[in-house]
């Protein structure tokens, strides 16, 4: 995997006066995460950029402005530095001590962010000391920004903070793109599609079109072949740097393709694009801890017939019971419904559809609710590739997700034979 | 060009009793057309299949059932032969002599076609002898099929007949597909796309997706690259059998691509797919006969802003006047409006949009109306490639259209510089 370029990461700038707990907040955000922290050294007043992976938000940069906080106001030099930071910032986290009155510092930060159209989230830190969900002081309310309570010491409030970050993120926030970080400019992506009579004439599946478009936008050279021409294309075309196969034909493609050529599926790319692949890989492995009698929640985002209705209602429960070796209690939610964290605690696992009807933000909220409840969540595509025994191969192009899978064994104890309809999710 | 396989041609079976004028009707249909007649020899009672190109309907097969007509009823052997014909038939043309009463023969044919869901058109032949548009006799009306009057001797009624054929054609009638006959199974089609910021994220242009889908369905190996990677792809990928470039980048692609590799544009493929490329090529060449003061009709099928509105209203008239060297009278129709043949006679040329909002059938009706009026018709894509000096190259993969163009000179007298917006039609 090619590391996500910094420009494509969500940039979070932490502003706050001295002693409000900026450093502990940064450690809190980065410390619990699958972090690849790469400190950029700076002088005392220079902001420090840390590249991290925030689950499930994806690649991010946390900007530590500790050097800019040593006075109640932004002096001229600090104003220039702050401007420089704000030019790169997607979201400002404004940290305050709720006992202290609002000063020109906070008002300046809010105004500067607002002028630039930058999202802003207020953080009342050390909530363990001052109390949770206290009424907002008048001067904080006057800033007219959303607030969350956090306790770094107690490790509480991170989900609320992430939710607020997602809500404040730019509307077109899309840190990954479908293929970003998996193939790069000048490389060759081979897309293997499956065409059957049931597909509307003149169309390709939307995820396939989106994969192509994103790859082309990244200056990738693409080839597109049906499974029937795959072997021939592999001989005649230059060696692909990545093969993306439709799940329906993954068995055949995996058999024909040399092991050393990276292979994944469109549904894996979209599990990453629409949600969080590491979380989903961990969730898939959680299947191995399921026992007969456990409760599982199956969530489908579409209320209409985009999905063959029997996948979620019948097939998946059937395969689960086959895998677990006994009856499973399965509940179902559809469309816009999704339980909150307290209701999710009743489940041992949440299995979500591909989410093609949801935007990334909505899927994030759902993953966060599961994290808050301490319930693993996976999605159809990742779970089925796990049950089908191909997850280890199709996750290889995504090192963190692959590591998460392999750490937990990486292979299902038995391989469940899936039928065609299931593989087309 | 690979000849259209017979299975993809519209099959018209001519039924009728002896002496109603079946042969003259067949000669009438085929004789006036750009016909590549390939008679399949048969015994006296065997039906004869003629492959022809009916403008603007496209590739067709006319089935001559002369051997089946020598009695008022279908005898057992003839019934078997007729069944065999009907299995391959899309539309039955039932030819009658309007002076003769309806017999079991006509009723059997109508019933047999109806049982099989085959379209049927009644033809009152020799209308010059018996009169045009006479009231339908009761027994003809009882057959409950549409009727047209034709005079092969006078050469009248063919447009009406074609219109009736189009109306009776199967709903999914699509004799060509986007790439059929231009590339074949196992060949390599390279699609060169142009991606600009104005395109919605995650999408390719619909004609590009449709080109890919149709090519894949024909078991063609596809590659898709941006113009920025085209030269590199040409070096690294196997030699393409056809390059399909977006009009926006055709200049560059034509310059880089060796002359011997077939090249066309998506808009040329779609001019053929949605309309009739031979007709449009002839229509483009008709630009050379335009003189200042001539009237031109510009037709856009979409009423909303799919097309930048200034293309039809301003840019095309501007280029025409530049080409003709004087003022042109230009009228405009939009959306579902289109004049009938009598109103079309006022024009020296009709210029139609790409027709992406119309189905092939509707474009056919419009072309037929122009043919009836004796007015040439072209479309945006073909005309602009002509004015831009690339028509000769991009029509080469379509021999009949290329021949029609070359016969009339093939090159514009001056090359009009077009801007980007125009080339994206």
């Amino acid at each position: 995997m090619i590391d996500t370029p910094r420009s494509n990461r969500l940039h979070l700038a932490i502003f706050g006066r001295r002693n409000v707990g900026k450093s502990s907040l940064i450690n809190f955000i980065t410390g619990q995460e699958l972090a690849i922290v790469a400190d950029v050294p700076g002088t005392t007043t220079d902001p420090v950029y840390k590249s991290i992976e925030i689950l499930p938000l994806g690649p991010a940069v946390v900007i530590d402005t500790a050097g800019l906080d040593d006075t109640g106001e932004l002096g001229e030099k600090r104003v220039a530095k702050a401007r420089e930071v704000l030019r790169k910032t997607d979201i400002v986290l404004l940290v305050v001590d709720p006992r202290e009155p609002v000063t020109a510092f906070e008002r300046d930060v809010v105004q500067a962010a607002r002028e630039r159209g930058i999202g802003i989230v207020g953080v009342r830190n050390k909530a363990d000391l001052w109390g949770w969900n206290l009424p907002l002081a008048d001067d904080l309310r006057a800033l007219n920004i959303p607030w969350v309570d956090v306790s770094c010491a107690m490790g509480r409030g991170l989900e609320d903070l992430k939710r607020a970050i997602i809500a404040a993120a730019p509307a077109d926030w899309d840190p990954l793109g479908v293929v970003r970080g998996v193939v790069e400019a000048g490389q060759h992506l081979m897309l293997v599609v499956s065409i059957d009579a049931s597909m509307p004439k003149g169309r390709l599946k939307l995820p396939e079109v989106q994969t192509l478009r994103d790859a082309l936008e990244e200056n990738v050279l693409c080839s597109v072949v049906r499974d029937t021409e795959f072997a021939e294309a592999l001989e005649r075309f230059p060696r692909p740097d990545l093969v993306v196969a439709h799940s329906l034909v993954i068995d055949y493609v995996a058999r024909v393709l040399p092991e050393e050529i990276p292979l994944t599926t469109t549904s894996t790319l979209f599990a990453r694009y629409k949600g969080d692949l590491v979380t989903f890989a961990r969730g898939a492995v959680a299947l191995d801890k399921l026992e007969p009698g456990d409760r599982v929640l199956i969530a489908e985002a579409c209320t209409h017939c985009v999905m063959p209705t029997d996948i979620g209602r019948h097939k998946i429960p059937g395969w689960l019971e086959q895998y677990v070796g006994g009856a499973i209690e399965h509940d179902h939610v559809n469309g816009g419904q999704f339980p909150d964290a307290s209701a999710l605690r009743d489940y041992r696992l949440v299995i979500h559809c591909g989410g093609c009807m949801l935007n990334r933000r909505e899927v994030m909220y759902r993953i966060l609710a599961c994290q808050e409840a301490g319930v693993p969540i996976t999605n159809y595509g990742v779970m089925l590739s796990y049950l089908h025994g191909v997850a280890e191969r199709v996750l290889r192009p995504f090192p963190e997700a692959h590591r998460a899978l392999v750490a937990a064994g990486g292979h299902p104890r038995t391989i469940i034979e899936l039928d065609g309809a299931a593989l087309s999710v």
Side-chain angles (χ1 to χ4, degrees), chain A:
Chain A
M1 181 173 147
I2 303 136
D3 198 40
T4 308
R6 181 180 287 174
S7 59
N8 299 125
R9 293 171 173 268
L10 189 71
H11 280 57
L12 307 170
I14 320 286
F15 280 92
R17 277 181 287 148
R18 186 174 291 186
N19 290 330
V20 294
K22 290 193 298 301
S23 301
S24 62
L25 183 70
I26 290 171
N27 289 338
F28 185 42
I29 294 175
T30 61
Q32 291 197 334
E33 303 301 333
L34 190 82
I36 315 163
V37 181
D39 283 14
V40 176
T43 66
T44 329
T45 59
D46 277 342
V48 178
Y49 294 79
K50 300 185 192 216
S51 293
I52 61 164
E53 184 87 19
I54 304 183
L55 291 185
L57 280 66
V61 169
V62 172
I63 311 173
D64 184 350
T65 66
L68 301 178
D69 66 358
D70 62 346
T71 151
E73 292 176 82
L74 293 173
E76 197 169 324
K77 188 181 169 195
R78 288 187 199 84
V79 167
K81 292 270 179 203
R83 277 207 193 112
E84 192 190 309
V85 166
L86 288 172
R87 269 203 301 276
K88 300 170 189 160
T89 297
D90 295 306
I91 297 165
V92 165
L93 302 187
L94 177 62
V95 190
V96 300
D97 178 335
R99 296 164 310 167
E100 298 277 328
V102 165
T103 68
F105 178 91
E106 286 82 9
R107 281 190 285 268
D108 285 351
V109 169
V110 169
Q111 195 193 329
R114 200 159 274 153
E115 282 168 357
R116 291 163 176 78
I118 296 171
I120 183 158
V121 174
V123 180
R124 296 198 296 189
N125 203 356
K126 309 183 191 175
D128 52 313
L129 294 182
W130 327 123
W132 291 91
N133 301 316
L134 294 176
L136 266 188
D138 286 345
D139 53 356
L140 288 182
R141 178 175 296 113
L143 291 175
N144 199 20
I145 61 173
W147 290 93
V148 290
D149 289 347
V150 165
S151 163
C152 303
M154 292 180 63
R156 278 184 60 188
L158 192 56
E159 278 77 19
D160 285 343
L161 179 59
K162 288 180 185 175
R163 238 185 301 268
I165 289 172
I166 294 172
D172 61 351
W173 171 51
D174 164 15
L176 293 167
V178 178
V179 299
R180 192 168 292 160
V182 198
V183 274
E184 62 181 358
Q187 289 193 326
H188 172 205
L189 179 155
M190 184 178 283
L191 186 69
V192 188
V193 304
S194 156
I195 290 183
D196 57 85
S198 73
M199 280 173 61
K201 295 284 293 175
R203 298 285 180 275
L204 293 174
K205 296 190 176 76
L206 208 53
E208 289 166 350
V209 173
Q210 204 165 341
T211 301
L212 279 178
R213 162 67 188 254
D214 277 26
L216 291 166
E217 209 151 326
E218 305 271 334
N219 302 98
V220 169
L221 283 65
C222 300
S223 55
V224 191
V225 295
R226 286 174 78 168
D227 52 324
T228 41
E229 277 71 52
F230 173 62
E232 187 185 344
L234 211 51
E235 278 198 8
R236 289 173 50 192
F237 279 40
R239 178 195 155 111
D241 299 288
L242 177 70
V243 173
V244 179
H246 192 277
S247 300
L248 260 176
V249 294
I250 186 68
D251 280 357
Y252 169 71
V253 170
R255 210 161 53 238
V256 171
L257 189 70
E259 280 282 330
E260 64 273 18
I261 299 182
L263 168 66
T264 194
T265 63
T266 346
S267 66
T268 307
L269 284 175
F270 271 75
R272 183 183 83 130
Y273 178 63
K274 283 280 184 169
D276 182 67
L277 201 50
V278 175
T279 302
F280 289 153
R282 287 181 183 159
V285 175
L287 283 170
D288 289 316
K289 295 195 186 120
L290 276 191
E291 289 172 12
D294 278 349
R295 287 184 71 191
V296 166
L297 179 70
I298 297 173
E300 289 194 339
C302 36
T303 44
H304 53 85
C305 314
V306 169
M307 295 287 298
T309 49
D310 63 339
I311 295 269
R313 297 261 161 198
H314 300 292
K315 300 215 166 192
I316 286 183
W319 292 318
L320 282 185
E321 299 192 339
Q322 196 183 335
Y323 193 71
V324 168
I328 290 282
E329 276 192 63
H330 46 96
D331 293 346
H332 297 264
V333 289
N334 280 86
Q337 305 172 307
F338 198 76
D340 61 16
S342 61
L344 286 168
R345 289 202 177 85
D346 296 339
Y347 298 102
R348 291 292 306 272
L349 178 64
V350 174
I351 302 173
H352 205 288
C353 72
C356 58
M357 305 300 291
L358 302 177
N359 61 20
R360 181 172 164 83
R361 200 172 284 211
E362 174 64 23
V363 177
M364 289 293 162
Y365 283 126
R366 294 175 173 206
I367 294 177
L368 275 170
C370 292
Q371 287 190 347
E372 202 176 342
V375 184
I377 175 171
T378 188
N379 88 343
Y380 282 14
V382 176
M383 184 192 78
L384 293 179
S385 73
Y386 182 68
L387 288 179
H388 197 53
V390 296
E392 191 279 319
R393 177 107 192 240
V394 302
L395 286 178
R396 273 185 229 164
F398 313 95
E400 290 96 344
H402 187 253
R403 220 174 292 134
L405 184 85
V406 169
H411 288 289
R413 16 172 216 274
T414 51
I415 287 179
I416 304 290
E417 282 309 315
L418 308 173
D419 59 22
L423 289 170
S424 71
V425 300

